[in-house]
DNA sequence: ACGGCGCTTGTCGGACCATT
DNA sequence: AATGGTCCGACAAGCGCCGT
């Protein structure tokens, strides 16, 4: 015990020695603490007042300011009895620390605002607009000052965007088992056939899946329609592949081939006179919406809010069905 | 004389870092 | 990852100085 005390005393002496005479402080934070003490004393006009501002003991403030003065061999304050006055060097240093700690206060203010969702931005990648806009609407309803940027791309681009930190969150059409991502089911939509009104199938109210055998088909990259055709053993003629729903719709409008569209996408083509949507009556084909983000970023405040609002949508959907 | 303030001294405990 | 040594910031106590 006595030896321990002796060691600590020795350590302390070495500390004081280093503090006062070493060329550079051994820890980065030392300058910051010394400058913070100086700044508080300069702004509050006294060591005791500064200690209250900094929420530390007055001796500590005194030590820091002395350490700063001794370390650089300068005088920052004139001690006139109980009063302290800035020296010319002190006044010059204060103009710098005003900027330094002013920016720090600004930074803390920003972080507090983001924490409270009073500001902040979220970049979202999505495979189709409807789901994501639903979630965005709910999010903006609660946090009106958020800025959201939505980019419509393929599922692969959404996932790559998350990995590259180009997106904070996303909505894709399938669940991902990649452990780098967190994904959560959002909604399921039925898939229908979409044809140009000049196509022979346009007079039909519904069709059987086998009737697509040999048809020229416009496919969406990685789409659920492709997998459904494959599972049903229907051999089609793939003529064009595109990454977006808009691409499929435009191709079908040009009469390039038969396409597929989910219930959620139908609203978006209502104005197009030369398109016809036909349900498939013997096979239930579905596409799903899953919200995704990087697993390691799942707890980040804005991303967590996004996931929560997506989850709220899923819950209200379940409630509506029962 | 008293209260307020800053400084010094002695001590403690947490953080850091090298070693195992 | 755990451990032990070292470093460093912080505090309490006590002192002297100064203004009222």
């Amino acid at each position: 015990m006595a030896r321990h005390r002796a060691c600590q005393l020795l350590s302390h002496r070495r500390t004081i020695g280093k503090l006062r005479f070493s060329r550079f402080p051994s820890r980065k934070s030392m300058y910051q603490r010394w400058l913070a003490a100086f700044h508080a004393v300069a702004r509050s006009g006294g060591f005791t007042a500064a200690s209250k501002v900094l929420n530390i003991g007055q001796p500590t403030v005194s030590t820091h300011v002395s350490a700063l003065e001794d370390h650089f061999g300068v005088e920052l304050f004139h001690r006139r009895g109980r009063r302290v006055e800035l020296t010319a060097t002190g006044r010059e240093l204060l103009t710098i620390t005003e900027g330094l700690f002013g920016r720090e206060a600004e930074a803390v203010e920003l972080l507090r605002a983001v924490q409270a969702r009073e500001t902040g931005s979220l970049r979202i990648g999505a495979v189709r607009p409807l789901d994501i806009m639903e979630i965005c609407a709910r999010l903006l309803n609660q946090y009106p000052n958020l800025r959201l940027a939505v980019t419509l791309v393929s599922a692969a681009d959404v996932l790559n965007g998350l990995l590259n930190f180009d997106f904070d969150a996303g909505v894709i059409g399938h669940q991902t088992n990649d452990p780098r991502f967190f994904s959560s089911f959002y909604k399921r939509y039925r898939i229908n056939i979409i044809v140009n009104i000049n196509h022979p199938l346009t007079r039909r109210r519904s069709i059987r899946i086998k009737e697509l055998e040999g048809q020229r088909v416009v496919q969406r990259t990685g789409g659920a329609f492709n997998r459904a055709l494959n599972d049903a053993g229907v051999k089609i003629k793939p003529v064009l592949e595109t990454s977006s729903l808009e691409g499929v719709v435009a191709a079908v409008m040009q009469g390039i081939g038969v396409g597929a569209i989910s219930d959620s996408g139908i609203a978006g083509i209502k104005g197009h006179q030369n398109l016809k949507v036909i349900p498939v009556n013997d096979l239930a084909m579905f596409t799903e919406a899953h919200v995704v983000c990087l697993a390691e970023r799942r707890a980040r405040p804005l991303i967590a809010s996004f996931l929560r609002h997506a989850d709220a949508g899923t819950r209200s959907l379940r409630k509506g069905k029962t």
Side-chain angles (χ1 to χ4, degrees), chain A residues 40-41 44-55 58 61:
Chain A
V41 173
S44 62
F47 284 71
T48 302
S51 72
K52 282 169 186 157
V53 169
L54 296 171
N55 204 26
Q58 173 270 316
V61 178

Side-chain angles (χ1 to χ4, degrees), chain A residues 93-307:
Chain A
L93 184 61
L94 180 61
T95 61
I96 296 171
T97 57
E98 289 278 15
L100 195 66
F101 294 105
R103 296 295 287 174
E104 183 182 281
E106 226 174 282
V108 169
E109 195 51 43
L110 169 75
L111 293 170
R112 285 213 178 110
V114 172
Q115 184 186 36
R117 321 292 193 274
E118 286 162 6
T119 183
S121 61
L122 208 56
R123 299 153 306 160
I124 306 156
V127 292
R128 53 176 170 261
L130 189 69
D131 325 294
I132 186 57
M133 293 311 170
E134 271 178 7
I135 301 170
C136 287
R138 278 199 295 274
L139 201 54
L140 288 170
N141 197 32
Q142 186 167 1
Y143 307 116
N145 295 327
L146 286 184
R147 289 191 309 280
L148 305 177
V150 176
T151 310
L152 297 175
V153 288
S154 70
D157 288 341
V158 170
L159 296 177
N160 276 331
L162 291 173
L163 287 174
N164 298 332
F165 294 88
D166 292 331
F167 298 136
D168 302 305
V171 177
I172 59 175
H174 60 87
Q175 190 180 356
T176 171
N177 294 320
D178 189 325
R180 292 173 297 176
F181 301 104
F182 166 80
S183 85
S184 165
F185 172 77
Y186 179 60
K187 274 186 184 175
R188 176 176 288 134
Y189 303 98
R190 198 182 176 95
I191 297 175
N192 307 284
I193 301 304
I194 178 174
V195 295
N196 187 290
I197 51 166
N198 296 320
H199 193 278
L201 287 173
T202 198
R203 284 168 291 145
R204 304 287 300 280
R205 286 189 164 191
S206 66
I207 60 164
R208 294 187 306 280
I209 191 72
K210 280 286 179 194
E211 291 181 75
L212 292 175
E213 185 87 33
Q215 289 284 347
R216 296 166 65 80
V217 171
V218 176
Q219 292 178 300
R220 187 155 172 204
T221 313
F225 182 48
N226 307 351
R227 288 193 294 277
L229 288 172
N230 221 17
D231 293 347
V234 178
K235 295 212 166 20
I236 46 101
K237 281 186 193 157
V239 288
L240 190 147
E241 185 173 311
T242 174
S243 62
S244 69
L245 174 64
E246 289 75 12
V248 172
V249 170
V252 174
M253 281 173 73
Q254 293 300 320
I256 292 174
V258 175
I261 192 165
S262 66
D263 286 341
S264 69
I266 292 174
I269 60 162
K270 279 213 168 122
H272 300 301
Q273 301 289 325
N274 58 341
L275 292 177
K276 169 127 190 237
V277 177
I278 309 169
V280 176
N281 60 18
D282 64 339
L283 179 69
M285 295 188 290
F286 293 100
T287 182
E288 295 182 343
H290 294 256
V291 291
V292 284
C293 69
L294 274 185
E296 65 191 37
R297 299 185 71 204
R298 186 185 165 185
R300 295 282 180 271
L302 288 174
I303 298 174
S305 289
F306 176 83
L307 296 174

Side-chain angles (χ1 to χ4, degrees), chain A residues 32-51:
Chain A
Q32 285 171 3
R33 288 175 195 280
W34 292 351
L35 288 169
F38 161 79
H39 184 71
V41 173
R43 287 295 301 272
S44 62
F47 284 71
T48 302
S51 72

Side-chain angles (χ1 to χ4, degrees), chain A residues 22-42:
Chain A
S22 65
R23 184 163 159 66
F24 297 105
S26 57
R27 287 190 184 181
K28 268 188 186 174
S29 62
M30 283 176 67
Y31 284 142
Q32 285 171 3
R33 288 175 195 280
W34 292 351
L35 288 169
F38 161 79
H39 184 71
V41 173

